[in-house]
Coordinates of all heavy atoms in Angstrom, one line a residue:
M1 N 0.8 -1.2 0.0 CA 0.0 0.1 0.0 C 0.9 1.4 0.0 O 1.8 1.4 0.7 CB -0.9 0.0 1.2 CG -1.8 1.2 1.4 SD -2.8 1.4 2.9 CE -3.8 0.0 2.8
P2 N 0.6 2.3 -0.8 CA 1.3 3.4 -0.9 C 1.3 4.2 0.4 O 0.3 4.2 1.0 CB 0.8 4.2 -2.1 CG -0.2 3.4 -2.6 CD -0.5 2.2 -1.8
I3 N 2.4 4.8 0.8 CA 2.4 5.6 2.0 C 2.4 7.1 1.6 O 3.1 7.6 0.6 CB 3.7 5.4 2.8 CG1 3.6 4.0 3.4 CG2 3.9 6.3 4.0 CD1 4.9 3.5 4.0
Q4 N 1.6 7.8 2.2 CA 1.4 9.3 2.1 C 2.5 10.1 2.7 O 2.7 9.9 3.9 CB 0.1 9.7 2.5 CG -0.2 11.2 2.3 CD -1.5 11.8 2.8 OE1 -1.9 11.4 3.9 NE2 -2.2 12.7 2.3
D5 N 3.2 10.9 1.9 CA 4.1 11.9 2.5 C 3.4 13.2 2.5 O 2.7 13.6 1.6 CB 5.3 12.0 1.5 CG 6.1 10.7 1.6 OD1 6.1 9.9 2.4 OD2 7.0 10.5 0.4
L6 N 3.8 14.1 3.4 CA 3.3 15.4 3.7 C 4.3 16.4 3.6 O 5.3 16.2 4.3 CB 2.4 15.5 4.9 CG 1.1 14.6 4.9 CD1 0.6 14.6 6.3 CD2 0.1 15.0 3.7
L7 N 4.0 17.6 3.1 CA 5.0 18.7 3.1 C 4.2 19.9 3.4 O 3.1 20.3 2.8 CB 5.6 18.8 1.6 CG 6.5 20.0 1.5 CD1 7.8 19.8 2.5 CD2 6.9 20.1 -0.1
Y8 N 4.5 20.4 4.6 CA 3.9 21.6 5.2 C 4.9 22.8 4.7 O 6.0 23.0 5.2 CB 3.8 21.7 6.7 CG 2.8 20.6 7.1 CD1 3.4 19.2 7.3 CD2 1.5 20.8 7.4 CE1 2.5 18.2 7.7 CE2 0.8 19.7 7.8 CZ 1.2 18.6 8.0 OH 0.3 17.5 8.4
L9 N 4.3 23.8 3.9 CA 5.1 24.9 3.5 C 4.5 26.2 3.9 O 3.4 26.5 3.5 CB 5.4 25.0 2.1 CG 6.1 23.7 1.3 CD1 6.1 23.9 -0.1 CD2 7.4 23.7 1.9
H10 N 5.2 27.0 4.7 CA 4.6 28.3 5.1 C 5.3 29.3 4.1 O 6.6 29.5 4.1 CB 5.2 28.7 6.6 CG 4.4 27.8 7.7 ND1 3.3 28.1 8.1 CD2 5.0 26.6 8.1 CE1 2.8 27.2 9.0 NE2 3.9 26.3 9.1
A11 N 4.5 30.1 3.4 CA 4.9 31.0 2.4 C 4.8 32.4 2.8 O 4.0 32.7 3.9 CB 4.2 30.8 1.0
S12 N 5.5 33.4 2.3 CA 5.3 34.8 2.6 C 4.0 35.4 2.1 O 3.5 36.4 2.8 CB 6.5 35.6 2.1 OG 6.6 35.5 0.7
T13 N 3.3 34.7 1.2 CA 1.9 35.3 0.7 C 1.1 34.0 0.3 O 1.6 32.9 0.5 CB 2.0 36.3 -0.5 OG1 2.4 35.4 -1.6 CG2 3.0 37.4 -0.3
F14 N -0.1 34.3 -0.1 CA -1.0 33.2 -0.4 C -0.7 32.6 -1.7 O -1.3 31.6 -2.3 CB -2.4 33.6 -0.3 CG -2.8 34.8 -1.2 CD1 -3.2 34.5 -2.5 CD2 -2.8 36.1 -0.6 CE1 -3.5 35.7 -3.3 CE2 -3.1 37.1 -1.5 CZ -3.4 36.9 -2.8
S15 N 0.2 33.2 -2.5 CA 0.5 32.8 -3.9 C 1.6 31.6 -3.9 O 2.5 31.6 -3.1 CB 1.3 34.0 -4.6 OG 1.7 33.4 -5.9
P16 N 1.3 30.6 -4.7 CA 2.3 29.4 -4.8 C 3.7 29.8 -5.4 O 4.5 29.0 -5.1 CB 1.4 28.6 -5.8 CG 0.1 28.9 -5.7 CD 0.1 30.3 -5.4
T17 N 3.8 31.0 -5.9 CA 5.0 31.5 -6.3 C 5.8 32.3 -5.3 O 6.9 32.7 -5.5 CB 4.9 32.4 -7.6 OG1 4.0 33.6 -7.3 CG2 4.2 31.6 -8.7
S18 N 5.3 32.5 -4.0 CA 5.9 33.4 -3.1 C 6.9 32.5 -2.4 O 7.0 31.3 -2.4 CB 4.9 33.9 -2.1 OG 4.2 32.9 -1.4
Q19 N 7.9 33.1 -1.7 CA 9.1 32.7 -1.0 C 8.5 31.6 0.2 O 7.7 32.1 1.0 CB 10.0 33.6 -0.5 CG 11.2 33.1 0.1 CD 12.1 32.4 -1.0 OE1 12.2 32.9 -2.1 NE2 12.8 31.6 -0.5
V20 N 9.1 30.6 0.3 CA 8.8 29.6 1.4 C 9.7 30.2 2.6 O 10.8 30.5 2.5 CB 9.3 28.2 1.2 CG1 9.1 27.3 2.5 CG2 8.3 27.6 0.1
I21 N 9.0 30.3 3.8 CA 9.6 30.8 5.0 C 9.9 29.8 6.0 O 10.6 30.1 7.1 CB 9.0 32.1 5.5 CG1 7.5 31.9 6.0 CG2 9.1 33.3 4.5 CD1 6.9 33.0 6.6
A22 N 9.2 28.7 6.0 CA 9.3 27.6 6.9 C 8.8 26.3 6.3 O 7.9 26.4 5.5 CB 8.7 27.9 8.2
M23 N 9.2 25.2 6.7 CA 8.8 24.0 6.2 C 8.9 22.8 7.1 O 9.8 22.8 8.1 CB 9.5 23.6 4.8 CG 10.8 23.1 4.9 SD 11.5 22.4 3.4 CE 11.0 23.5 2.2
T24 N 8.1 21.8 7.0 CA 8.1 20.6 7.7 C 7.8 19.4 6.7 O 6.9 19.7 5.9 CB 7.0 20.6 8.9 OG1 7.3 21.6 9.7 CG2 7.2 19.3 9.6
L25 N 8.7 18.4 6.8 CA 8.5 17.3 5.8 C 8.2 16.0 6.7 O 9.0 15.6 7.5 CB 9.7 17.2 4.9 CG 9.9 16.0 4.1 CD1 8.8 16.2 2.9 CD2 11.4 16.0 3.3
M26 N 7.3 15.2 6.1 CA 6.9 14.0 6.8 C 7.0 13.0 5.6 O 6.3 13.0 4.8 CB 5.5 14.0 7.4 CG 5.2 15.1 8.3 SD 6.1 14.9 9.9 CE 5.2 13.4 10.5
E27 N 7.9 12.1 5.7 CA 8.1 11.1 4.7 C 8.1 9.6 5.4 O 8.8 9.5 6.5 CB 9.4 11.2 4.0 CG 9.5 12.3 3.0 CD 10.8 12.4 2.2 OE1 11.8 12.3 2.9 OE2 10.8 12.5 1.0
G28 N 7.3 8.8 4.9 CA 7.3 7.4 5.5 C 6.8 7.3 6.8 O 7.1 6.5 7.7
G29 N 5.9 8.4 7.2 CA 5.3 8.3 8.5 C 6.2 8.9 9.6 O 6.0 8.9 10.8
E30 N 7.3 9.4 9.2 CA 8.4 10.1 10.1 C 8.7 11.5 9.7 O 8.7 11.9 8.6 CB 9.7 9.3 10.1 CG 9.5 8.0 10.4 CD 9.4 7.7 12.0 OE1 9.9 8.4 12.8 OE2 8.7 6.6 12.2
Q31 N 8.8 12.5 10.7 CA 9.3 13.8 10.4 C 10.7 13.8 10.0 O 11.5 13.1 10.7 CB 9.1 14.8 11.6 CG 9.3 16.1 11.3 CD 8.9 17.2 12.3 OE1 8.2 16.8 13.2 NE2 9.4 18.3 12.3
Q32 N 11.1 14.3 8.9 CA 12.5 14.4 8.4 C 13.0 15.8 8.8 O 12.5 16.8 8.8 CB 12.4 14.2 6.9 CG 11.8 13.1 6.5 CD 12.4 11.8 7.0 OE1 13.6 11.6 6.9 NE2 11.6 10.8 7.5
P33 N 14.3 15.7 8.9 CA 15.1 17.0 9.2 C 15.1 17.8 8.1 O 15.2 17.4 7.0 CB 16.6 16.5 9.6 CG 16.6 15.1 9.1 CD 15.3 14.6 9.1
V34 N 15.1 19.1 8.3 CA 15.1 20.2 7.2 C 16.3 21.1 7.5 O 16.5 21.4 8.8 CB 13.9 21.0 7.3 CG1 14.0 22.1 6.3 CG2 12.6 20.1 7.1
P35 N 17.3 21.3 6.5 CA 18.4 22.1 6.8 C 18.0 23.5 7.5 O 17.0 24.0 7.1 CB 18.9 22.4 5.4 CG 18.4 21.2 4.6 CD 17.1 20.9 5.1
G36 N 18.9 23.9 8.5 CA 18.7 25.1 9.1 C 18.7 26.3 8.2 O 18.1 27.4 8.4
N37 N 19.6 26.2 7.3 CA 19.8 27.3 6.1 C 18.7 27.1 5.1 O 18.8 26.2 4.3 CB 21.3 27.1 5.6 CG 21.6 28.3 4.6 OD1 20.8 29.0 4.2 ND2 22.8 28.2 4.2
A38 N 18.0 28.2 5.1 CA 16.9 28.2 3.9 C 17.3 28.0 2.5 O 16.6 27.4 1.7 CB 16.0 29.4 4.2
D39 N 18.6 28.4 2.1 CA 19.1 28.3 0.9 C 19.3 26.8 0.5 O 19.4 26.4 -0.7 CB 20.5 29.0 0.7 CG 20.3 30.4 0.8 OD1 19.1 31.0 0.6 OD2 21.2 31.1 1.2
E40 N 19.3 25.9 1.5 CA 19.6 24.4 1.3 C 18.2 23.7 1.3 O 18.3 22.4 1.1 CB 20.5 23.9 2.4 CG 21.9 24.5 2.4 CD 22.7 24.0 3.5 OE1 22.3 23.0 4.2 OE2 23.7 24.6 3.8
W41 N 17.0 24.3 1.4 CA 15.9 23.7 1.5 C 15.5 23.0 0.1 O 15.9 23.7 -0.9 CB 14.7 24.6 1.8 CG 14.6 25.1 3.3 CD1 15.3 24.4 4.2 CD2 13.9 26.1 3.9 NE1 15.0 25.0 5.4 CE2 14.2 26.1 5.3 CE3 13.0 27.0 3.3 CZ2 13.6 26.9 6.1 CZ3 12.4 27.8 4.3 CH2 12.7 27.8 5.6
P42 N 14.8 22.0 -0.2 CA 14.6 21.4 -1.5 C 13.6 22.3 -2.3 O 13.7 22.1 -3.4 CB 13.9 20.1 -1.1 CG 13.4 20.1 0.4 CD 14.3 21.2 1.0
Y43 N 12.9 23.2 -1.6 CA 12.0 24.0 -2.4 C 12.1 25.4 -1.9 O 11.9 25.7 -0.7 CB 10.6 23.6 -2.4 CG 10.5 22.1 -2.7 CD1 10.2 21.2 -1.8 CD2 10.7 21.6 -4.1 CE1 10.2 19.7 -2.2 CE2 10.7 20.3 -4.4 CZ 10.4 19.4 -3.3 OH 10.4 18.0 -3.8
Q44 N 12.2 26.4 -2.8 CA 12.1 27.9 -2.4 C 10.8 28.4 -2.5 O 10.4 29.5 -1.9 CB 13.1 28.6 -3.2 CG 14.6 28.1 -2.9 CD 15.0 28.3 -1.5 OE1 14.8 29.3 -0.9 NE2 15.5 27.2 -0.9
T45 N 9.8 27.8 -3.3 CA 8.5 28.2 -3.5 C 7.7 27.1 -3.4 O 8.1 25.9 -3.7 CB 8.4 29.0 -4.9 OG1 8.4 28.1 -5.9 CG2 9.3 30.2 -4.9
V46 N 6.3 27.2 -3.3 CA 5.3 26.1 -3.3 C 5.3 25.6 -4.7 O 5.2 24.5 -5.0 CB 4.0 26.6 -2.9 CG1 2.9 25.4 -3.1 CG2 4.0 27.1 -1.4
L47 N 5.4 26.4 -5.7 CA 5.4 26.0 -7.1 C 6.5 25.0 -7.4 O 6.2 24.1 -8.3 CB 5.3 27.3 -8.1 CG 5.2 27.0 -9.6 CD1 3.8 26.3 -9.8 CD2 5.1 28.2 -10.5
E48 N 7.7 25.2 -7.0 CA 8.8 24.3 -7.2 C 8.3 22.9 -6.6 O 8.7 21.9 -7.3 CB 10.0 24.8 -6.5 CG 10.8 26.0 -7.0 CD 11.9 26.5 -6.3 OE1 12.5 25.7 -5.4 OE2 12.5 27.5 -6.7
A49 N 7.8 22.8 -5.5 CA 7.3 21.5 -5.0 C 6.3 21.0 -5.9 O 6.3 19.7 -6.3 CB 6.8 21.7 -3.6
V50 N 5.4 21.7 -6.4 CA 4.3 21.2 -7.4 C 5.0 20.6 -8.6 O 4.6 19.6 -9.0 CB 3.3 22.3 -7.7 CG1 2.3 21.8 -8.8 CG2 2.5 22.6 -6.4
K51 N 5.9 21.4 -9.2 CA 6.7 20.9 -10.3 C 7.4 19.6 -10.1 O 7.7 18.8 -11.1 CB 7.6 22.0 -10.8 CG 6.9 23.2 -11.5 CD 7.8 24.2 -11.9 CE 7.2 25.4 -12.6 NZ 8.0 26.4 -13.0
D52 N 7.8 19.2 -8.9 CA 8.5 18.1 -8.4 C 7.6 16.9 -8.1 O 8.0 15.9 -7.6 CB 9.3 18.4 -7.3 CG 10.4 17.3 -7.1 OD1 11.0 16.7 -8.1 OD2 10.9 17.1 -5.9
G53 N 6.2 17.1 -8.3 CA 5.4 16.0 -8.2 C 4.4 16.1 -6.9 O 3.7 15.3 -6.6
W54 N 4.6 17.2 -6.0 CA 3.7 17.2 -4.8 C 2.4 17.9 -5.3 O 2.3 18.7 -6.2 CB 4.3 18.3 -3.8 CG 5.6 17.5 -3.1 CD1 6.9 17.7 -3.6 CD2 5.6 16.9 -1.9 NE1 7.8 17.0 -2.7 CE2 6.9 16.5 -1.7 CE3 4.6 16.5 -1.0 CZ2 7.3 15.8 -0.5 CZ3 5.0 15.7 0.0 CH2 6.2 15.4 0.3
R55 N 1.3 17.5 -4.6 CA -0.1 17.9 -4.9 C -0.5 18.8 -3.7 O -0.4 18.3 -2.6 CB -1.0 16.7 -5.1 CG -0.8 15.8 -6.2 CD -1.8 14.8 -6.4 NE -2.6 14.5 -5.3 CZ -4.0 14.6 -5.3 NH1 -4.6 14.7 -6.3 NH2 -4.6 14.4 -4.2
I56 N -1.0 20.0 -4.1 CA -1.5 20.8 -3.0 C -2.9 20.3 -2.4 O -3.8 20.1 -3.3 CB -1.7 22.3 -3.5 CG1 -0.4 22.9 -3.9 CG2 -2.3 23.1 -2.3 CD1 -0.5 24.3 -4.5
V57 N -3.0 20.2 -1.2 CA -4.2 19.5 -0.7 C -5.0 20.6 0.2 O -6.1 20.4 0.4 CB -4.2 18.1 0.0 CG1 -3.7 17.1 -0.9 CG2 -3.2 18.2 1.2
C58 N -4.2 21.5 0.5 CA -4.8 22.6 1.4 C -4.1 24.0 1.1 O -2.8 24.1 1.3 CB -4.7 22.2 3.0 SG -5.4 23.5 4.1
F59 N -4.8 24.8 0.7 CA -4.4 26.3 0.5 C -4.5 27.0 1.8 O -5.1 26.6 2.7 CB -5.2 27.0 -0.6 CG -4.8 26.4 -1.9 CD1 -5.4 25.2 -2.4 CD2 -3.9 27.1 -2.7 CE1 -5.2 24.8 -3.8 CE2 -3.6 26.6 -4.0 CZ -4.2 25.5 -4.6
P60 N -3.8 28.1 1.9 CA -3.8 29.0 3.2 C -5.3 29.4 3.5 O -6.1 29.5 2.6 CB -3.0 30.3 2.7 CG -2.1 29.9 1.6 CD -2.9 28.8 0.8
E61 N -5.6 29.4 4.7 CA -6.8 29.7 5.2 C -6.9 31.3 5.2 O -6.4 32.1 6.0 CB -7.0 29.3 6.7 CG -8.2 29.6 7.4 CD -9.5 29.0 6.6 OE1 -9.5 28.0 6.4 OE2 -10.2 29.9 6.2
M62 N -7.7 31.8 4.2 CA -7.9 33.2 4.0 C -8.6 33.9 5.2 O -8.3 35.1 5.3 CB -8.5 33.4 2.8 CG -7.9 32.9 1.4 SD -6.2 33.4 1.3 CE -6.4 35.3 0.9
S63 N -9.3 33.3 6.0 CA -9.8 34.0 7.1 C -8.8 34.4 8.1 O -9.1 35.2 9.0 CB -11.0 33.1 7.9 OG -10.3 31.9 8.4
L64 N -7.6 33.8 8.2 CA -6.5 34.2 9.0 C -5.6 35.2 8.5 O -4.7 35.7 9.2 CB -5.6 33.0 9.4 CG -6.5 31.8 10.0 CD1 -5.4 30.6 10.2 CD2 -7.0 32.2 11.4
V65 N -5.9 35.6 7.2 CA -5.0 36.6 6.7 C -5.3 37.9 7.2 O -6.4 38.3 7.3 CB -5.2 36.7 5.1 CG1 -4.4 37.9 4.5 CG2 -4.8 35.3 4.5
A66 N -4.3 38.6 7.8 CA -4.5 39.9 8.4 C -4.3 41.0 7.3 O -3.6 40.9 6.3 CB -3.3 39.9 9.4
T67 N -5.0 42.1 7.7 CA -4.9 43.2 6.7 C -3.8 44.2 7.1 O -3.4 45.0 6.4 CB -6.3 44.0 6.8 OG1 -6.6 44.5 8.2 CG2 -7.4 43.2 6.3
R68 N -3.2 44.0 8.4 CA -2.2 44.8 8.9 C -1.1 43.8 9.5 O -1.5 42.8 10.0 CB -2.6 45.7 9.9 CG -3.6 46.6 9.5 CD -4.0 47.6 10.7 NE -4.3 46.8 11.9 CZ -4.3 47.2 13.2 NH1 -4.3 48.6 13.4 NH2 -4.6 46.6 14.1
D69 N 0.2 44.1 9.3 CA 1.3 43.4 9.7 C 1.1 43.0 11.3 O 1.4 42.1 11.8 CB 2.6 44.0 9.5 CG 3.0 43.9 8.1 OD1 2.4 42.9 7.3 OD2 4.0 44.5 7.6
E70 N 0.5 44.0 12.0 CA 0.5 43.9 13.6 C -0.5 42.8 13.9 O -0.6 42.4 15.0 CB 0.0 45.2 14.1 CG 0.9 46.5 13.8 CD 0.6 47.1 12.5 OE1 -0.6 47.4 12.2 OE2 1.5 47.4 11.7
D71 N -1.4 42.5 13.0 CA -2.5 41.6 13.3 C -2.2 40.2 12.8 O -3.0 39.3 12.6 CB -3.7 42.0 12.5 CG -4.3 43.3 13.1 OD1 -4.0 43.6 14.3 OD2 -5.1 44.1 12.4
M72 N -0.9 39.8 12.5 CA -0.5 38.5 12.0 C -1.0 37.4 12.8 O -0.8 37.4 13.9 CB 1.1 38.5 11.9 CG 1.6 37.4 11.4 SD 1.4 37.2 9.5 CE 2.5 36.0 9.1
H73 N -1.6 36.4 12.2 CA -2.1 35.2 12.8 C -1.3 33.9 12.2 O -1.3 33.8 11.0 CB -3.6 34.9 12.6 CG -4.5 36.2 13.1 ND1 -4.7 36.2 14.3 CD2 -5.0 37.1 12.4 CE1 -5.4 37.4 14.4 NE2 -5.6 37.8 13.2
G74 N -0.5 33.3 13.0 CA 0.2 32.2 12.6 C 1.5 32.6 11.9 O 2.1 33.8 11.8
L75 N 2.4 31.6 11.2 CA 3.4 31.8 10.6 C 3.2 31.7 9.2 O 3.2 30.7 8.6 CB 4.5 30.7 11.0 CG 5.8 30.8 10.4 CD1 6.6 32.2 10.7 CD2 6.7 29.6 10.8
G76 N 3.1 32.9 8.6 CA 2.9 33.0 7.0 C 1.6 32.3 6.5 O 0.7 32.3 7.4
H77 N 1.6 31.8 5.4 CA 0.5 31.3 4.7 C 0.8 29.9 4.4 O 1.7 29.4 3.6 CB 0.2 32.0 3.4 CG -0.1 33.5 3.6 ND1 1.0 34.4 3.8 CD2 -1.2 34.2 3.8 CE1 0.3 35.6 4.0 NE2 -0.9 35.4 3.8
L78 N 0.1 29.0 5.1 CA 0.4 27.6 5.1 C -0.2 26.9 3.9 O -1.5 26.8 3.8 CB -0.1 26.9 6.5 CG 0.0 25.3 6.5 CD1 1.5 24.9 6.5 CD2 -0.7 24.7 7.8
F79 N 0.6 26.1 3.3 CA 0.1 25.3 2.2 C 0.5 23.8 2.6 O 1.5 23.6 3.2 CB 0.9 25.4 0.8 CG 0.7 26.7 0.2 CD1 1.2 27.8 0.5 CD2 -0.3 26.6 -1.0 CE1 0.9 29.1 -0.2 CE2 -0.6 27.8 -1.6 CZ 0.0 29.0 -1.2
I80 N -0.4 22.9 2.5 CA -0.1 21.5 2.9 C -0.2 20.8 1.4 O -1.1 20.9 0.7 CB -1.2 20.8 3.7 CG1 -1.1 21.8 5.0 CG2 -0.9 19.4 4.0 CD1 -2.3 21.2 6.0
L81 N 0.9 19.9 1.2 CA 1.0 19.2 0.0 C 1.2 17.6 0.3 O 1.6 17.3 1.3 CB 2.2 19.7 -0.9 CG 2.2 21.1 -1.3 CD1 2.8 22.0 -0.3 CD2 2.8 21.3 -2.6
E82 N 0.9 16.8 -0.8 CA 1.0 15.4 -0.5 C 1.6 14.8 -1.7 O 1.5 15.2 -2.8 CB -0.4 14.7 -0.2 CG -1.4 14.7 -1.4 CD -2.6 13.9 -1.2 OE1 -2.7 13.4 -0.1 OE2 -3.3 13.8 -2.2
R83 N 2.2 13.5 -1.5 CA 2.6 12.7 -2.5 C 2.5 11.3 -1.9 O 2.6 11.1 -0.7 CB 3.9 13.1 -3.1 CG 5.1 12.7 -2.2 CD 6.4 13.0 -2.8 NE 7.5 12.8 -1.9 CZ 8.7 13.2 -2.0 NH1 9.0 13.9 -3.0 NH2 9.6 12.8 -1.1
F84 N 2.4 10.4 -2.8 CA 2.4 8.9 -2.5 C 3.6 8.2 -3.0 O 3.8 8.3 -4.2 CB 1.1 8.1 -2.8 CG -0.1 8.7 -2.1 CD1 -0.8 9.7 -2.6 CD2 -0.5 8.1 -0.9 CE1 -2.0 10.1 -2.0 CE2 -1.6 8.5 -0.2 CZ -2.3 9.5 -0.7
E85 N 4.2 7.4 -2.1 CA 5.4 6.7 -2.7 C 5.3 5.3 -2.3 O 4.5 4.9 -1.5 CB 6.6 7.1 -1.6 CG 7.0 8.6 -1.9 CD 8.0 8.9 -3.0 OE1 8.8 8.1 -3.3 OE2 8.0 10.0 -3.6

């Protein structure tokens, strides 16, 4: 049976082309280490992950988007992606 991998990408805006500012990778049912240096991350944008075979299953929750920087809720705009290996 295929195992679902999950990739959580926090982006700087709600656009898939915006810069990734944080990530969590779950492969084979285990959280995988992510390099501390953002330049070494496997994806710099959500679109790069999609081009590599990841499917977006959850777009950012627009109700949490703040109209002012002082009202920020959470860490960026969360995209959840999946793939099956």
Side-chain angles (χ1 to χ4, degrees):
M1 175 184 303
I3 297 176
Q4 180 186 35
D5 294 335
L6 294 172
L7 178 61
Y8 298 84
L9 297 177
H10 294 271
S12 57
T13 74
F14 60 86
S15 171
T17 60
S18 65
Q19 186 68 33
V20 171
I21 58 175
M23 72 170 45
T24 300
L25 176 60
M26 304 292 292
E27 288 183 309
E30 302 283 333
Q31 185 169 345
Q32 300 300 313
V34 176
N37 181 351
D39 292 335
E40 297 175 13
W41 290 348
Y43 309 108
Q44 297 300 309
T45 68
V46 176
L47 188 56
E48 287 180 8
V50 170
K51 288 179 179 180
D52 194 35
W54 290 91
R55 294 179 348 123
I56 298 173
V57 295
C58 183
F59 284 87
E61 178 57 58
M62 296 306 291
S63 67
L64 298 177
V65 174
T67 56
R68 302 178 311 163
D69 287 342
E70 305 85 48
D71 296 335
M72 180 75 163
H73 300 285
L75 177 60
H77 300 80
L78 177 64
F79 289 82
I80 302 174
L81 298 92
E82 72 173 357
R83 70 177 178 195
F84 289 91
E85 298 270 334

